[in-house]
Amino acid sequence: MINSKFRCSIVESVRRWIGTPYVHQASTLGHGADCLGLIRGVWREIVGEEPENVPNYLPNWGQVSGDETLLNAADRWFERISSKEAMMGDLLLFRWKNSGVAGHAAILTDADRFVHAYEKAGVVETALGNHWRRRIAAAYRFPQADGVR
């Protein structure tokens, strides 16, 4: 179980990204990020070095390929949980369409809000209303970094 101090550090980290412009494939606080880049940036701050290199990808890669690339990567590096168990500091993956692949990522900041990056808006905090809840594909816990207790 992840302790509350660790969860708070994840939320503090992701909220620092708010206002960062949307830039496809970027992951630099204040300069640019897409949804994956946002998660990568928080990972680097909270957990450490990124566990694998991210290949180049198109903005609509999930709709084009049909592969669950994002979901499979999350399964390798995060602890999957039920979306009903998700709480502040947990990762959410979303499907843009009911039949589509998971193609969007965010971090819960409380039970009803999350931070994510998307085109034309940049990194923002958004209410987790029914529109978004219906699109949750999976939820995950960050692995707790050594030294953070």
Side-chain angles (χ1 to χ4, degrees), residues 5 9 15 25 30 45 49 55 63 78-79 81 83 94-95 99 102 123 146:
K5 181 179 177 184
S9 66
R15 281 187 169 149
Q25 289 190 305
E45 180 179 343
E49 186 175 331
Q63 292 92 15
F78 293 80
E79 175 190 348
I81 58 171
S83 61
F94 297 93
R95 298 183 192 286
S99 61
V123 179
D146 293 337

Side-chain angles (χ1 to χ4, degrees), residues 7-140:
R7 287 184 179 285
C8 288
S9 66
I10 295 168
V11 171
E12 288 169 9
S13 175
V14 77
R15 281 187 169 149
R16 279 194 291 277
W17 287 75
I18 293 173
T20 297
Y22 179 90
V23 177
H24 175 65
Q25 289 190 305
S27 182
T28 306
L29 175 65
H31 295 284
D34 60 9
C35 68
L36 178 58
L38 173 64
I39 305 309
R40 291 173 53 217
V42 172
W43 177 286
R44 287 190 306 267
E45 180 179 343
I46 300 301
V47 179
E49 186 175 331
E50 292 180 57
E52 63 184 66
N53 292 326
V54 177
N56 288 333
Y57 54 92
L58 298 171
N60 63 344
W61 60 268
Q63 292 92 15
V64 173
S65 72
D67 294 333
E68 287 286 6
T69 305
L70 186 59
L71 197 77
N72 292 336
D75 281 338
R76 284 192 298 275
W77 302 109
F78 293 80
E79 175 190 348
R80 193 187 282 227
I81 58 171
S82 160
S83 61
K84 292 180 173 126
E85 293 177 69
M87 57 182 72
M88 66 178 268
D90 287 337
L91 171 69
L92 295 179
L93 299 184
F94 297 93
R95 298 183 192 286
W96 288 116
K97 298 177 182 176
N98 290 342
S99 61
V101 301
H104 190 60
I107 295 175
L108 273 173
T109 53
D110 68 33
D112 297 313
R113 299 190 66 73
F114 64 97
V115 174
H116 61 140
Y118 65 98
E119 204 169 357
K120 298 180 185 168
V123 179
V124 295
E125 190 164 10
T126 302
L128 183 61
N130 289 333
H131 168 81
W132 286 103
R133 285 186 193 280
R134 285 192 304 269
R135 287 169 174 71
I136 294 173
Y140 296 88

